[in-house]
Amino acid sequence: MENFKFTTMEYSRPDFDSFKSKVQSFTKKLSTVNSYEEARNVFLDYDKYSCEFNDMITLANIRHTIDTTDEFYDKEVEYIEEVYPTVMPIVLAFSDCLYENKFRAEFEKEYGKQLFVQVELQKKSFTEKNIPLMQKEAKLCSEYEKIIASASIEFDGKTHNLFGIMTYFENKDDSVRKEAYKAYASFYEQHEARFEEIWDELIKVRNEMGKNLGFDNYIPLGYMKQGRTDYGAEEVASFREQIKTELVPFCQKLYLAQAKRVGLDKVMAYDEKLIFSSGNAQPIGDEDFEMKVAKEVYHDLSQETGEFFDYMERHELFDLKNKPGKAATGYMTAFNSLKAPFVFSCFNHTTYDMEVLSHELGHAFAGYMAMREQPISDYYSESTDIAEIHSMSMEQFLYPYAERFFGENADKFRFSHLQGALTFVPFGVAVDEYQHIVYANPQLTPKQRTAEWKKLEEKYMPWRDYGDIEFFAKGGWWYHKIHIFLYPFYYINYTLTTIGAMEFKKKMHTDKNKAWNDYMNLCKVGGSKSYIETLKFANLSIPFEEGSVKNSLSYAIEILNSQLEKF
Ligand SMILES: [Zn+2]
């Protein structure tokens, strides 16, 4: 397989029946072993086999997002989502057997205790009763995704998907930005009725899952599904509070300075992305140019990142250009059996492209390192509250190379990106609080939920003003956030990890070698430790602790403050 290429990888429908019987035979073997060595061999064989099986599913999912209009993969993904939950009890039986194994102490000695912490989490978060609910959830999510992918908005004499229309949010012409925003709003407004129903059903389905596991609602289960073992809703609430006091006032200052800079009375919602009156930085070349620059940059950054980039290129593990029918998203995933990351996005010739080339490739690099460093696939990836540190820190590490992407506008890129990174956080915690509110209060009507979002905007984004764009003005902005529908309780991760990334930025400034060393350690450790343990291992602070937000953000705030008048 050393010479595989993504485009020629052969897909065959995963055989769930033979998977089930094979896993059952592993379980049987594991329960009758006589030595640790035997037990370990069974475990490693199982690990290898399940990686290969899951990689076929990954392949179907990737090809489906590359062309959502391809009926073949559409059907395959639908089939997989339908059948997949039925193998869960059999997989869990294997995990159970490992968990109860008489050689557990030896396993812990060799692989650490995190393996069993994960199994425990898996056990606690699963009940067979939830299988039909999981199937229903997957159907609702894929319907939402289809509606989003089907977006076809006429604007500026062209037809755009959602990513395409967003390009205009940075346009220098005030009326173009506003009209593009209106067009964007009208897409969500058109689908509001169905979105309301999908969301309502998702909340019900998920809360029922939580109840089936003995919880009041979905929230504790949502936390478990995010792999959280050493903090809960209370810690997260205290983090949101720190953001409100430490960051929200500074963001307000940023927007006041921005209004002055671009010559507006006030930065309206549709002006937020216009950081400079002369327009934002744009890549100085086309998509091929951007890829060529990215290659140079990754080679320059370190030997490991250079090798990584060449590997990705050699095996065609990028699909980054925008094409009709592509899902409007960006992500990194991996073929574990091949130790191969994969990166997907829709380039749109704005600063977003460089964000993809740093953010998603940051994820991919971390995966690439962990897959080579860690002995078992359970440790190839980490919980997402760690994973986004990899990606967001990579964004910061590439700042010194911005000239190569943006030429003389590199400073503008750096300023606007850093401002964006910080002003994002209040929005991010609002998304998180919104989810807590709706799952804890399932009696809210769809319109009341949207009103709750409006209140959160007032609390965390007091600068936000949509003017006469009715749909957003009454609270409709939350609809555009895919994560709220598809990945419950994921979003706070981006904000927790911004803190880690800003800490790395600060460290890069004071001690570059130490910063890179800590970063490499963070990547290599993968998912072999818990959240807090991982942060400590990489010499990062714990965001819930009093003062941590203030301390981590201080350098970034200092830079922005010193440049408010520069442009
Ligand atoms: Zn990410």
Side-chain angles (χ1 to χ4, degrees):
M1 283 312 278
E2 200 23 52
N3 295 318
F4 77 93
K5 287 192 194 307
F6 172 77
T7 46
T8 55
M9 277 168 79
E10 219 172 293
Y11 174 79
S12 59
R13 179 177 273 196
D15 183 344
F16 284 93
D17 286 332
S18 84
F19 178 76
K20 285 177 192 171
S21 61
K22 189 96 197 214
V23 173
Q24 276 165 335
S25 81
F26 281 127
T27 308
K28 205 170 159 199
K29 262 195 223 165
L30 187 63
S31 62
T32 55
V33 289
N34 293 312
S35 69
Y36 172 59
E37 209 193 334
E38 254 182 87
R40 189 183 55 182
N41 285 340
V42 176
F43 172 64
L44 294 177
D45 286 348
Y46 161 81
D47 192 33
K48 184 167 179 281
Y49 173 73
S50 70
C51 281
E52 284 164 3
F53 183 80
N54 282 309
D55 281 354
M56 215 31 87
I57 295 172
T58 304
L59 184 59
N61 279 323
I62 295 174
R63 292 208 172 134
H64 176 58
T65 51
I66 288 176
D67 185 0
T68 53
T69 64
D70 181 330
E71 282 174 24
F72 175 78
Y73 285 108
D74 191 48
K75 287 220 167 61
E76 289 305 296
V77 167
E78 200 181 315
Y79 169 78
I80 290 165
E81 277 169 359
E82 184 70 27
V83 187
Y84 192 79
T86 66
V87 308
M88 286 297 286
I90 290 148
V91 170
L92 284 171
F94 180 85
S95 298
D96 252 338
C97 184
L98 183 68
Y99 193 76
E100 309 290 348
N101 201 269
K102 57 183 167 187
F103 300 107
R104 179 167 157 176
E106 284 88 340
F107 271 111
E108 281 199 22
K109 204 173 152 206
E110 183 162 2
Y111 299 110
K113 66 171 175 27
Q114 190 62 15
L115 175 61
F116 294 98
V117 171
Q118 282 184 6
V119 173
E120 209 176 322
L121 210 56
Q122 221 177 13
K123 279 160 65 102
K124 274 202 223 154
S125 60
F126 182 78
T127 164
E128 253 177 88
K129 264 207 237 161
N130 281 349
I131 292 178
L133 295 169
M134 285 158 80
Q135 288 165 331
K136 207 169 161 191
E137 182 190 26
K139 271 214 179 94
L140 289 164
C141 288
S142 84
E143 188 191 343
Y144 172 83
E145 271 183 302
K146 264 185 205 153
I147 298 173
I148 293 293
S150 76
S152 138
I153 303 169
E154 296 300 325
F155 191 78
D156 191 23
K158 286 173 236 158
T159 308
H160 302 276
N161 62 15
L162 291 169
F163 265 65
I165 196 86
M166 282 158 74
T167 318
Y168 293 93
F169 294 177
E170 295 189 16
N171 197 286
K172 275 186 274 184
D173 187 323
D174 295 351
S175 65
V176 169
R177 279 194 316 278
K178 187 172 178 184
E179 289 309 311
Y181 231 73
K182 271 191 184 159
Y184 190 70
S186 72
F187 168 78
Y188 290 95
E189 198 169 6
Q190 261 169 43
H191 295 282
E192 184 182 19
R194 188 59 196 142
F195 282 160
E196 281 183 348
E197 287 163 3
I198 292 176
W199 184 222
D200 196 63
E201 283 186 62
L202 277 172
I203 293 165
K204 284 194 184 117
V205 163
R206 287 178 180 147
N207 272 345
E208 209 176 321
M209 288 182 191
K211 283 182 185 154
N212 284 342
L213 287 158
F215 304 120
D216 289 341
N217 53 43
Y218 180 73
I219 299 169
L221 175 58
Y223 273 62
M224 284 183 184
K225 284 185 177 270
Q226 291 298 321
R228 293 172 191 156
T229 56
D230 45 15
Y231 67 94
E234 229 170 274
E235 281 84 355
V236 172
S238 81
F239 173 73
R240 290 197 303 259
E241 205 45 44
Q242 282 189 67
I243 296 303
K244 191 172 170 290
T245 47
E246 296 301 333
L247 186 56
V248 169
F250 180 67
C251 292
Q252 222 164 347
K253 186 177 171 185
L254 285 171
Y255 285 119
L256 283 176
Q258 183 173 328
K260 210 172 138 197
R261 191 185 312 123
V262 300
L264 291 168
D265 294 336
K266 185 180 184 189
V267 172
M268 302 295 282
Y270 40 83
D271 303 321
E272 283 182 14
K273 289 201 178 297
L274 184 80
I275 315 285
F276 316 101
S277 53
S278 53
N280 297 337
Q282 273 195 353
I284 52 173
D286 62 8
E287 294 165 332
D288 292 325
F289 167 84
E290 291 178 300
M291 287 307 284
K292 192 180 115 294
V293 171
K295 184 176 180 159
E296 290 164 17
V297 163
Y298 278 91
H299 273 275
D300 196 78
L301 187 62
S302 76
Q303 193 195 327
E304 294 90 343
T305 46
E307 285 167 7
F308 150 76
F309 196 96
D310 292 346
Y311 174 88
M312 297 291 286
E313 205 176 40
R314 199 161 59 242
H315 299 289
E316 301 176 345
L317 297 163
F318 296 121
D319 195 300
L320 304 177
K321 297 177 183 178
N322 200 3
K323 282 172 287 201
K326 265 182 98 163
T329 183
Y331 64 80
M332 169 262 171
T333 183
F335 297 102
N336 283 346
S337 70
L338 300 169
K339 297 184 196 282
F342 185 91
V343 178
F344 177 98
S345 91
C346 305
F347 274 173
N348 65 9
H349 202 72
T350 67
T351 50
Y352 170 79
D353 296 359
M354 182 167 173
E355 284 162 34
V356 168
L357 287 169
S358 49
H359 184 101
E360 298 305 338
L361 263 65
H363 282 307
F365 175 65
Y368 176 87
M369 290 313 299
M371 284 189 272
R372 277 148 188 80
E373 199 73 20
Q374 294 297 328
I376 51 175
S377 70
D378 295 77
Y379 295 166
Y380 285 179
S381 58
E382 52 292 306
S383 54
T384 45
D385 41 18
I386 293 293
E388 299 297 339
I389 304 180
H390 300 142
S391 51
M392 291 181 163
S393 302
M394 189 62 92
E395 293 175 17
Q396 296 302 323
F397 294 158
L398 296 201
Y399 270 26
Y401 302 100
E403 271 77 5
R404 302 198 198 177
F405 289 95
F406 303 105
E408 59 184 13
N409 288 322
D411 277 339
K412 286 167 94 180
F413 165 76
R414 282 185 284 258
F415 181 87
S416 68
H417 186 272
L418 192 56
Q419 164 163 325
L422 295 197
T423 52
F424 163 79
V425 176
F427 167 72
V429 300
V431 167
D432 181 64
E433 193 163 322
Y434 174 72
Q435 296 177 79
H436 283 86
I437 292 170
V438 297
Y439 289 107
N441 302 282
Q443 78 287 355
L444 294 175
T445 64
K447 295 285 183 277
Q448 284 172 328
R449 289 181 190 125
T450 295
E452 288 297 324
W453 172 259
K454 176 139 186 74
K455 279 192 237 163
L456 290 167
E457 275 186 355
E458 283 158 9
K459 178 175 176 184
Y460 291 108
M461 304 153 75
W463 56 84
R464 193 43 87 89
D465 188 342
Y466 298 98
D468 61 357
I469 303 180
E470 273 300 299
F471 183 73
F472 287 155
K474 66 178 194 215
W477 182 244
W478 73 268
Y479 280 109
H480 89 289
K481 204 64 261 173
I482 290 173
H483 297 69
I484 294 177
F485 288 86
L486 304 185
Y487 316 111
F489 296 103
Y490 186 104
Y491 220 61
I492 195 69
N493 296 328
Y494 292 120
T495 66
L496 293 172
T497 52
T498 299
I499 304 305
M502 291 306 143
E503 228 179 323
F504 267 123
K505 181 182 186 65
K506 197 173 178 180
K507 213 180 277 183
M508 264 303 201
H509 175 66
T510 50
D511 188 344
K512 199 174 166 189
N513 285 336
K514 173 137 187 20
W516 185 253
N517 230 355
D518 284 345
Y519 182 73
M520 284 299 288
N521 283 337
L522 182 73
C523 292
K524 286 179 185 170
V525 78
S528 64
K529 291 178 189 296
S530 76
Y531 177 70
I532 307 258
E533 285 166 357
T534 306
L535 291 179
K536 286 184 175 159
F537 184 74
N539 294 313
L540 290 165
S541 67
I542 295 150
F544 316 121
E545 285 174 1
E546 201 52 48
S548 141
V549 167
K550 188 178 183 178
N551 188 38
S552 306
L553 297 183
S554 66
Y555 178 59
I557 288 180
E558 189 190 312
I559 293 176
L560 286 171
N561 253 331
S562 72
Q563 296 183 4
L564 284 182
E565 315 269 330
K566 181 175 168 185
F567 303 96

